[in-house]
Amino acid sequence: MNKTDQDVKRLKPLAEQQAVPQQDYDNALAAQQGAKADVGGRQAALSTAKVNQTASIEQAQAAVEAANANIRQAELNLEYCSVTSPISGIAGTRQVAPGNLVGQGEATLLTTVSNVNPMRVYVSISEREYLMYQSLKADGKMKGGAGELELILADGSSFPEKGRIIIADRAVDLKTGTLSIVAEFPNPKALLRPGQFGRVRLAATMAENALLVPQKAVTQMQSANVVYIVGEDHKVALRSVTLGDRVGQNYIITDGVKVGERVIVEGIQKARPGITVTPTEQPVSSEAASAKKGE
């Protein structure tokens, strides 16, 4: 109890008995009310100070969160400056220089990356070759069983890795009569590059003791395939032949030529049936020798 309350309590009974002037009691009441009002004002000021302190804390927390958001945005922008390829392989030439603005409203091509290991090779085979392949495969006569593919490069060399068929088109192209096939070759040293050309070879069958004749020795005459033969008497004879498959630069002869007969390869333009020539024999090519051995 403060002094104003004590004055009111002391003067109230005295004022009722008219022992003190009424004015003294009224002054004590006014002082008491003024003291209470002062205390209320102080409490209100203290409450206002607490509210202001809470608002200041909330504002500070909001500022911290805004600063953290700016940091995250800056980190994200920094990540956009470093572009990572989703695949490994060989990258082409860059399409934009460092410092250029990209991705503004539309996608921007930076470069092209190609996966080269393994490398896919697209090839087309005729309907006849497809049917022969399926027949040999069904009869279990496929050489090597699985049918490994060999890739002949543009310079004539053989790619060291063997390939396999992974995709075949669903239908034969009506315009070309061919079936599109996708083969896959391991390419660990990245020797093969996208856009290269080559020839794919499949050793499907083995022709044992086959007779090979160079392609340039075969001439077409009235829809027939013919070759010029030099007999033992050195006279030229014209012989109609039946061609089999082509092996490199040679044809397999299935009928029309016998073992040991000599075929004219050079100077065909001057050859005439019945004339006498002085032949010069050429050595057998390595390709033909390999075919004779059945390799």
Side-chain angles (χ1 to χ4, degrees):
M1 183 179 296
N2 55 29
K3 183 177 182 301
T4 57
D5 294 336
Q6 291 177 353
D7 291 343
V8 171
K9 185 177 181 181
R10 177 174 57 80
L11 292 175
K12 181 179 181 181
L14 296 175
E16 290 175 353
Q17 296 176 7
Q18 297 182 354
V20 295
Q22 183 65 32
Q23 184 63 39
D24 291 344
Y25 178 66
D26 292 340
N27 292 337
L29 286 176
Q32 183 188 41
Q33 293 176 357
K36 290 182 178 180
D38 184 55
V39 171
R42 291 180 180 179
Q43 291 178 346
L46 180 61
S47 176
T48 302
K50 290 182 178 179
V51 171
N52 292 336
Q53 183 181 12
T54 303
S56 299
I57 294 174
E58 291 177 352
Q59 290 177 357
Q61 291 176 345
V64 171
E65 292 179 357
N68 290 332
N70 291 334
I71 293 174
R72 289 193 294 269
Q73 183 64 41
E75 291 174 346
L76 183 61
N77 292 337
L78 182 60
E79 290 179 0
Y80 288 153
C81 294
S82 178
V83 180
T84 303
S85 173
I87 62 173
S88 60
I90 298 178
T93 57
R94 71 184 187 190
Q95 302 298 314
V96 294
N100 292 138
L101 179 63
V102 298
Q104 189 67 17
E106 61 181 9
T108 304
L109 177 64
L110 303 181
T111 187
T112 302
V113 180
S114 299
N115 183 8
V116 296
N117 186 29
M119 177 65 78
R120 287 189 171 184
V121 178
Y122 296 83
V123 63
S124 297
I125 62 174
S126 66
E127 184 175 356
R128 174 178 173 273
E129 291 170 336
Y130 166 73
L131 293 175
M132 181 181 68
Y133 171 80
Q134 291 294 347
S135 177
L136 293 173
K137 187 177 179 181
D139 296 339
K141 297 180 180 180
M142 181 69 65
K143 180 182 178 182
E148 291 184 336
L149 302 179
E150 182 181 2
L151 179 61
I152 310 301
L153 303 179
D155 61 354
S157 62
S158 296
F159 186 63
E161 303 290 341
K162 301 298 182 182
R164 61 187 181 90
I165 298 174
I166 59 171
I167 301 174
D169 204 351
R170 66 172 186 84
V172 175
D173 191 328
L174 296 178
K175 295 180 180 180
T176 62
T178 59
L179 181 68
S180 297
I181 289 177
V182 181
E184 195 172 74
F185 287 82
N187 190 29
K189 297 182 180 180
L191 176 61
L192 300 179
R193 296 294 186 98
Q196 282 185 257
F197 290 91
R199 294 180 292 113
V200 175
R201 183 164 61 188
L202 171 63
T205 59
M206 180 183 296
E208 297 183 356
N209 300 321
L211 294 177
L212 295 182
V213 171
Q215 295 181 35
K216 58 183 179 180
V218 180
T219 304
Q220 281 194 338
M221 186 177 296
Q222 296 180 354
S223 300
N225 295 310
V226 299
V227 296
Y228 289 97
I229 302 295
V230 178
E232 295 181 357
D233 55 358
H234 292 185
K235 288 187 177 181
V236 176
L238 188 64
R239 191 77 59 81
S240 177
V241 295
T242 302
L243 302 181
D245 294 329
R246 188 174 63 182
V247 180
Q249 301 298 321
N250 301 302
Y251 281 120
I252 294 178
I253 303 299
T254 59
D255 188 29
V257 176
K258 298 179 181 179
V259 178
E261 289 185 320
R262 294 176 293 180
V263 178
I264 296 178
V265 178
E266 301 291 346
I268 296 178
Q269 297 81 0
K270 300 178 181 180
R272 297 291 183 272
I275 67 173
T276 302
V277 297
T278 303
T280 300
E281 295 186 1
Q282 293 183 352
V284 179
S285 65
S286 58
E287 187 179 62
S290 298
K292 287 184 178 180
K293 295 178 182 178
E295 297 180 358

